[in-house]
Amino acid sequence: MHAVTPTLELRDVTKRYGHVAAPTDVDFTVTAGEVVALVGDNGAGKSTLVKAIAGSHRIDGGEILIDGGPVVIGSPTEASALGIETVYQDLALCDNLDVTANLYLGRERRRSRSLLLDQEGMQAHAAAVIADLAAHLPVLDKPVSALSGGQRQAIAVSRAALWGSRIVLLDEPTAALGVAQTVMVYDLIHRLRDRGLAVVVISHNMADVFAVADRITVLRLGRNAGEFRPGRDSTDDVVAAITGSRELDAAVRKENPR
Amino acid sequence: MNPSAVWTRTAASGTATVVLGLVVVWGFFQSLNDNFLSARNLSNLLLQIAVLGTLAVGMVIVLILGEIDLSIGAIAGVSAAVLAQLITGHGWPAWAAIASALLLGAAIGVLHGTIIAAVGIPSFIITLAGLLVWQGVQLWLVGDGGQIPIRDSAIRSIASSYLVPAFGWVLAVLVIAGFAGVRLLRRTRRVRNQLAVRTPAAEAATVAGVAVVVLAITWTLNSYFGIPWVFVLLLGLAAAGGVLMTGTNFGRHVYAIGGNREAARRAGIPVRRTVVLVFALISAIAALAGIIEASRQFSASNALGGGTLQLNAIAAAVIGGTSLFGGRGRVHQAVLGALVVGSVQNGLDLLGEPAAVKNIATGVILVVAVVLDALGRRRRAL
Ligand SMILES: Nc1ncnc2c1ncn2[C@@H]1O[C@H](COP(=O)(O)OP(=O)(O)OP(=O)(O)O)[C@@H](O)[C@H]1O
Ligand SMILES: [Mg+2]
């Protein structure tokens, strides 16, 4: 087997909250140009895993590898330095700042040989990236408080593209969105993938998972519970892995239509 | 467009709102006493608001961060006491005493900021405790006499000297030219980056509007003693604060933390360091206010920085359109807010009203401004 080296790989990763082991010995990979969905029931440990990769939590066991080399991700800044960008379940935008300022949050550009912000340069570059992603965003110099949920999510996703990040993690990016806005965000995710980024999406919505992902990793009670492919496996297979009922009878199928 | 939309739009452009408030206040007092808008009284007004405006500039910055500082009056008091002790008690030269007072202010701010950022205690509590502590230190430094006189002529001249009229005109022209130059540079950069620009006529109108205001102020003040030196100092401070807050990384981070602290942290902004720096900065500004007040009084008294000054600074910031909820506000509007608060006090003085009425009026204005702020926030949240 001559696999490409995964852009991001987790080996036996464990994170404990006191005595509660959330993710336990979890293996996970994602490769450049691939969208992997991470699914599992509430409390399965998905968000915890994302926070570990994003540098918000230290892991208690196992290792994280980037391009095959082990790394220690101690803070969100270190994660960004490694090219990891995270879009959180609860949006991490500053309502009082405009679109451009949010895109550049924490990485503001300065004019050469000066302490002053390069406001115009940032705005122009942001406009170019957003046009390139064909994201539907209105004027870039309005506070984001005036935007819709989908537009706000689009900003959060575009931020990843703007930074030339290599790994993008999205924790339930469409949880609060309507149908059209969900499609818009998934379009954006596909565009990131087509640019060669490695994308990880967490979702509870099986229809969306099958629409957006190339591969599906299931977590159950903090442990790996199977790998699936949308073309090969059915929704029922994935739901069975999530709920832990491998022999799926008709009754369960009815209770979990997705 | 319905009236409420119009109102919202006006409220959004905070400067317009506070200017409108100022016009109303000035119109009211002028109609009751036609000395109010005299050159002499306006000049006095500017001297009176120098300390308040300085404190308000600092208050705006800390409010944008989403914190508050209840100790800046006390820091002004203790810094003035140190200044006076060093000069009168130990014979230090003015510059060394001023530098020491400013450094002391900054050090107090670092202490407050470190406790707030490292332990995560609300700034409200820490600075309230700071208020007591520093007022105590101030009383102790000033001693039984109740005040320390300052005879140093350099210190005394800070708050009592005026620019020679000719120099006032030169300064006015420089300010206008600087404003026009900055706008032109910004326009050039926008064109170079292919961003939308306003029409040249609209730009010219803005510059002309500013020129008229600057020349009118200069003319009025020059018809009395000239532009008060402290007013130039205040405008310089506000301009520097404005550039810091809207033109630099640091300022952008302060706005971001005030808007959404968690988002700022996740974006890699050094939240704790920024909090400590803000408290250091505004405490140094408070020390500057203390020096100016000592210069006005020719002494450092044990009452300096006390009384209603602290609350007036909050009132000035909020009236100037700064939100108590963090993330929103402009430094230059602090000067306008201070002008409103100062005008009400000056006007009531002119009408011979007692301190009781002044306190009640300021309190009512503060409540009105805060209520408008809360309503505006609710409307944005909808
Ligand atoms: N800060 C914390 N302290 C203690 N326990 C926690 C903490 N955060 C999460 N947990 C626990 O860890 C486990 C995994 O939580 P996590 O948030 O990762 O689940 P999830 O898969 O993202 O769930 P959901 O689908 O509901 O978002 C849960 O049992 C949860 O109660
Ligand atoms: Mg979760």
Side-chain angles (χ1 to χ4, degrees):
Chain A
M1 194 176 129
H2 58 98
V4 210
T5 312
T7 308
L8 170 72
E9 181 172 4
L10 308 189
R11 282 189 198 154
D12 294 334
V13 165
T14 300
K15 165 75 197 173
R16 273 184 285 273
Y17 290 113
H19 289 299
V20 186
T24 312
D25 298 333
V26 171
D27 293 328
F28 180 81
T29 60
V30 57
T31 316
E34 186 186 34
V35 179
V36 179
L38 188 59
V39 302
D41 225 334
N42 293 122
K46 308 178 295 291
S47 297
T48 306
L49 214 52
V50 164
K51 284 178 185 147
I53 303 169
S56 294
H57 288 342
R58 287 291 191 111
I59 56 172
D60 299 310
E63 34 173 15
I64 301 179
L65 298 93
I66 293 205
D67 295 327
V71 292
V72 176
I73 307 172
S75 70
T77 317
E78 285 175 44
S80 333
L82 291 165
I84 300 169
E85 196 63 34
T86 314
V87 179
Y88 287 94
Q89 201 161 353
D90 44 341
L91 280 165
L93 297 182
C94 291
D95 274 349
N96 58 329
L97 298 179
D98 66 17
V99 178
T100 308
N102 269 289
L103 287 173
Y104 278 88
L105 204 60
R107 281 175 283 205
E108 294 80 8
R109 247 169 41 185
R110 292 193 205 156
R111 296 212 291 270
S112 52
R113 295 189 306 283
S114 116
L115 290 174
L116 297 178
L117 292 172
D118 180 13
Q119 322 242 26
E120 295 78 14
M122 289 193 279
Q123 204 176 323
H125 185 217
V129 168
I130 282 173
D132 190 33
L133 286 169
H136 304 277
L137 290 181
V139 261
L140 295 175
D141 49 9
K142 284 272 147 57
V144 300
S145 54
L147 303 187
S148 78
Q151 289 170 328
R152 294 159 58 87
Q153 200 59 265
I155 295 170
V157 179
S158 305
R159 183 142 86 185
L162 190 67
W163 293 112
S165 321
R166 309 177 50 231
I167 302 162
V168 182
L169 314 169
L170 303 106
D171 192 352
E172 308 209 30
T174 58
L177 301 186
V179 178
Q181 300 196 332
T182 299
V183 171
M184 180 178 112
V185 168
Y186 283 149
D187 275 353
L188 214 47
I189 290 175
H190 282 144
R191 257 179 240 115
L192 294 183
R193 176 191 64 190
D194 297 344
R195 288 170 151 224
L197 276 72
V199 184
V200 181
V201 181
I202 292 179
S203 178
H204 279 286
N205 184 328
M206 281 306 132
D208 290 348
V209 167
F210 274 74
V212 77
D214 302 314
R215 200 152 55 76
I216 301 166
T217 298
V218 179
L219 286 189
R220 178 171 152 67
L221 303 176
R223 292 177 182 275
N224 284 97
E227 293 277 320
F228 300 89
R229 284 186 183 277
R232 191 185 66 193
D233 306 304
S234 72
T235 313
D236 292 342
D237 298 332
V238 177
V239 171
I242 292 173
T243 57
S245 56
R246 292 233 169 255
E247 287 84 44
L248 200 69
D249 61 26
V252 173
R253 211 170 296 179
K254 245 184 206 154
E255 275 175 27
N256 300 295
R258 289 192 200 158
Chain B
M1 206 187 316
N2 64 33
S4 108
V6 175
W7 192 87
T8 311
R9 190 157 300 181
T10 324
S13 62
T15 307
T17 316
V18 61
V19 168
L20 187 72
L22 194 58
V23 169
V24 169
V25 169
W26 283 12
F28 176 75
F29 285 113
Q30 177 67 13
S31 72
L32 294 180
N33 183 330
D34 52 12
N35 280 328
F36 183 77
L37 288 182
S38 66
R40 178 195 151 96
N41 192 51
L42 290 178
S43 182
N44 281 339
L45 174 63
L46 294 183
L47 291 177
Q48 287 158 7
I49 67 147
V51 170
L52 176 61
T54 304
L55 288 177
V57 166
M59 189 56 82
V60 167
I61 297 174
V62 75
L63 287 177
I64 291 173
L65 182 71
E67 305 281 355
I68 198 161
D69 194 333
L70 301 177
S71 67
I72 54 176
I75 295 173
V78 81
S79 306
V82 165
L83 177 89
Q85 270 293 354
L86 290 177
I87 288 181
T88 308
H90 298 83
W92 284 34
W95 65 266
I98 289 175
S100 304
L102 292 176
L103 277 177
L104 172 78
I108 292 174
V110 168
L111 181 64
H112 290 174
T114 305
I115 298 174
I116 290 162
V119 192
I121 300 170
S123 50
F124 172 79
I125 296 296
I126 292 300
T127 57
L128 195 58
L131 163 73
L132 289 174
V133 170
W134 305 118
Q135 259 180 2
V137 175
Q138 177 187 2
L139 289 181
W140 177 66
L141 280 173
V142 170
D144 296 335
Q147 62 170 42
I148 307 169
I150 297 176
R151 299 207 175 72
D152 184 280
S153 60
I155 302 273
R156 290 170 78 127
S157 66
I158 294 174
S160 55
S161 51
Y162 298 80
L163 297 188
V164 188
F167 190 60
W169 286 116
V170 171
L171 186 69
V173 171
L174 286 178
V175 166
I176 295 166
F179 180 75
V182 166
R183 292 203 71 96
L184 190 64
L185 277 177
R186 184 176 306 162
R187 187 186 167 81
T188 319
R189 285 197 304 270
R190 288 190 69 90
V191 170
R192 196 184 328 124
N193 283 293
Q194 293 160 2
L195 299 170
V197 287
R198 297 165 66 207
T199 62
E203 290 282 9
T206 305
V207 173
V210 167
V212 167
V213 171
V214 170
L215 293 175
I217 292 172
T218 310
W219 181 79
T220 308
L221 294 173
N222 274 351
S223 70
Y224 187 55
F225 282 145
I227 303 174
W229 206 88
V230 277
F231 184 56
V232 178
L233 193 65
L234 175 61
L235 291 186
L237 179 73
V243 171
L244 180 73
M245 291 302 288
T246 58
T248 69
N249 275 16
F250 173 78
R252 178 61 57 81
H253 293 171
V254 175
Y255 275 101
I257 294 169
N260 185 342
R261 200 185 184 99
E262 183 57 21
R265 194 187 65 78
R266 288 179 189 169
I269 290 173
V271 173
R272 287 181 183 179
R273 191 177 77 200
T274 309
V275 169
V276 173
L277 281 175
V278 165
F279 277 93
L281 177 68
I282 71 154
S283 302
I285 292 175
L288 176 66
I291 296 167
I292 296 172
E293 185 61 19
S295 164
R296 261 166 58 80
Q297 298 183 356
F298 295 162
S299 73
S301 72
N302 52 18
L304 193 153
T308 55
L309 187 60
Q310 170 76 46
L311 274 183
N312 282 344
I314 298 174
V318 176
I319 290 165
T322 299
S323 173
L324 283 177
F325 303 101
R328 280 166 224 277
R330 292 272 179 245
V331 170
H332 71 265
Q333 289 171 11
V335 178
L336 293 169
L339 265 178
V340 173
V341 174
S343 298
V344 169
Q345 307 216 318
N346 173 296
L348 291 172
D349 271 340
L350 219 55
L351 299 177
E353 299 291 348
V357 174
K358 294 198 318 193
N359 286 358
I360 292 170
T362 309
V364 169
I365 293 174
L366 174 60
V367 169
V368 169
V370 170
V371 167
L372 289 179
D373 173 32
L375 291 179
R377 174 184 158 91
R378 194 174 305 163
R379 188 168 298 108
R380 281 191 301 270
L382 288 179

